[in-house]
């Protein structure tokens, strides 16, 4: 049995990773919410933000990182329409996804796909 202080330190170190994993699951289900993720970790939204801040992280930054990683993975499937990728990543419109993708990668998604995935 691990003493309480060691287990809490271990969970604190991996909170960002746990939040990222929960974000991936939520994205797969269609909608991501900080309240839902906090609830799954048995903490309030405020506590989640506070603990992430202690790790130098924010929920928004983790969400963006997961979306970027998933976008790149989804782009490898050339048969998957961009509008479907946008929906799977929780963007309300293709234009919002396109702006985010261009910010992340420096090029629009259609151009990225044609240049890098050919």
């Amino acid at each position: 049995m691990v003493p309480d202080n060691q287990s809490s330190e271990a969970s604190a170190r991996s909170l960002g990773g746990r939040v990222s994993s929960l974000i991936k699951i939520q994205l797969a289900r269609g909608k991501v919410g900080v309240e839902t993720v906090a609830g799954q970790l048995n903490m309030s939204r405020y506590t989640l933000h506070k603990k992430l801040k202690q790790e130098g992280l924010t929920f928004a930054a983790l969400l963006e990182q997961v979306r970027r990683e998933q976008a790149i993975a989804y782009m490898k499937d050339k048969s998957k329409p961009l509008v479907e990728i946008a929906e799977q990543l929780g963007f309300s419109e293709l234009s919002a996804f396109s702006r985010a993708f261009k910010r992340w990668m420096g090029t629009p998604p259609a151009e990225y796909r044609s240049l890098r995935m050919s």
Side-chain angles (χ1 to χ4, degrees):
M1 178 113 183
V2 179
D4 286 341
N5 62 349
Q6 286 182 344
S7 64
S8 64
E9 286 173 13
S11 65
R13 276 197 304 273
S14 64
L15 181 63
R18 288 176 26 223
V19 170
S20 291
S21 295
L22 290 170
I23 288 172
K24 282 182 194 171
I25 293 166
Q26 292 298 314
L27 275 177
R29 292 179 182 158
K31 189 126 175 128
V32 178
V34 66
E35 295 284 349
T36 305
V37 172
Q40 290 173 322
L41 293 168
N42 297 316
M43 58 181 76
S44 70
R45 176 185 186 148
Y46 173 79
T47 301
L48 176 60
H49 281 296
K50 190 170 126 188
K51 289 186 177 211
L52 285 173
K53 188 176 181 180
Q54 290 171 349
E55 292 185 22
L57 300 169
T58 66
F59 185 84
L62 290 171
L63 174 59
E64 181 134 335
Q65 177 186 345
V66 169
R67 280 180 163 168
R68 184 177 63 242
E69 291 168 359
Q70 295 289 98
I72 293 165
Y74 292 154
M75 293 290 277
K76 292 177 182 169
D77 179 358
K78 284 190 160 203
S79 68
K80 189 177 286 216
L82 292 177
V83 70
E84 186 180 321
I85 293 172
E87 286 174 7
Q88 287 180 313
L89 295 175
F91 289 96
S92 56
E93 297 182 9
L94 178 58
S95 60
F97 167 65
S98 294
R99 283 191 304 276
F101 193 89
K102 188 172 183 181
R103 186 175 67 246
W104 300 330
M105 305 307 292
T107 184
E111 190 178 315
Y112 177 90
R113 186 178 254 179
S114 65
L115 290 174
R116 298 229 166 64
M117 303 296 170
S118 56

